[in-house]
Amino acid sequence: MKLVFATNNPHKLEEIREILGKERQVLSLKAIGCHDEIPEEQDTLEGNALQKAHYIKDKYGFDCFADDTGLEIAALNGRPGVYSARYAGEGKSPEDNMVKVLKEMQGVADRSARFRTVIALLLGDEEFIFEGEVEGEMLTEKHGDEGFGYDPIFRPVGYEKSFAEMSMDEKNHISHRGKAVQKLVEFLNNKNI
Ligand code: IMP
């Protein structure tokens, strides 16, 4: 079974390969010769996941899946949400995004937030959607240097450490993307794919 994962993020590819296991081969965009900047122009996570997956399916013909994730902070009315990757502006770094969030959250009592992932899977002519989320809270400063993105400033409910202080395995067990991928795996297993 070969599936393309429509992402240019090596961290995500590594995370997902670990969850999907050995029996399924997850191909990177590089492996299929795709070096394009895949458009994600929708204003929902689901819309972006579908747009990315369709781009690959239409251009290269592979069965594939794509994910889109957002950090939804209650006190910021769900921001950065679908704009998480470029919250501090086009071309800014994950560090810049964290600085912006920490600044906006200064002195804010309600720290509750969640990560939400939507995966769109295209198999033949069919499309399927899987979702995963993890509730947590925004920290007031960075902790740890594992992971990526907003990991150093997000602590999942029931834990004393941030995502960036967890091993990849530990994070995968409880994370938004881990849960969404788990649903994808169960679906593939049930279909004997
Ligand atoms: P994407 O569209 O799925 O790549 O995610 C959008 C942005 O959300 C990324 O650029 C990261 O800043 C952030 N993000 C996604 N997944 C994670 C995660 O597991 N931890 C921390 N930040 C994440």
Side-chain angles (χ1 to χ4, degrees):
M1 173 69 197
K2 280 185 190 170
L3 274 178
V4 173
F5 182 20
T7 183
N8 283 311
N9 182 329
H11 292 279
K12 285 192 192 172
L13 197 62
E14 203 187 337
E15 276 185 7
I16 273 182
R17 281 189 170 141
E18 183 148 323
I19 301 171
L20 275 178
K22 302 263 181 294
E23 65 274 25
R24 293 191 188 88
Q25 207 181 339
V26 180
L27 300 177
S28 64
L29 291 175
K30 212 165 115 193
I32 62 164
C34 172
H35 303 282
D36 305 357
E37 193 67 48
I38 302 180
E40 36 182 312
E41 303 148 331
Q42 311 304 309
D43 54 13
T44 61
L45 298 176
E46 183 172 311
N48 274 339
L50 281 167
Q51 183 177 19
K52 288 188 270 188
H54 275 290
Y55 182 90
I56 295 303
K57 181 88 181 161
D58 294 350
K59 188 162 175 188
Y60 298 89
F62 285 99
D63 284 342
C64 66
F65 62 95
D67 78 322
D68 202 43
T69 295
L71 170 64
E72 300 172 340
I73 302 176
L76 302 181
N77 298 317
R79 289 196 320 274
V82 72
Y83 305 107
S84 293
R86 46 191 184 281
Y87 194 45
E90 218 54 63
K92 298 281 186 174
S93 68
E95 176 69 27
D96 297 326
N97 290 335
M98 278 193 287
V99 167
K100 179 167 179 180
V101 165
L102 286 175
K103 207 164 160 197
E104 288 185 326
M105 292 296 287
Q106 244 168 30
V108 175
D110 176 8
R111 316 285 309 177
S112 58
R114 68 178 178 194
F115 273 112
R116 196 160 66 85
T117 291
V118 175
I119 293 178
L121 169 69
L122 301 182
L123 277 183
D125 294 336
E126 292 185 289
E127 66 185 38
F128 304 92
I129 296 287
F130 308 93
E131 261 194 66
E133 54 184 61
V134 58
E135 301 286 340
E137 58 182 293
M138 301 314 297
L139 300 171
T140 52
E141 55 188 36
K142 292 187 281 166
H143 293 267
D145 21 56
E146 299 297 322
F148 68 100
Y150 299 89
D151 279 348
I153 57 170
F154 180 85
R155 181 170 59 202
V157 163
Y159 289 79
E160 293 297 317
K161 49 190 179 182
S162 78
F163 265 167
E165 292 173 299
M166 294 183 177
S167 67
M168 189 190 296
D169 197 40
E170 197 176 2
K171 180 185 165 191
N172 277 344
H173 268 98
I174 57 168
S175 82
H176 45 302
R177 195 165 30 260
K179 288 177 187 166
V181 173
Q182 214 54 59
K183 289 181 187 170
L184 169 69
V185 171
E186 278 160 30
F187 173 86
L188 295 171
N189 287 343
N190 284 338
K191 283 211 153 208
N192 272 327
I193 291 172

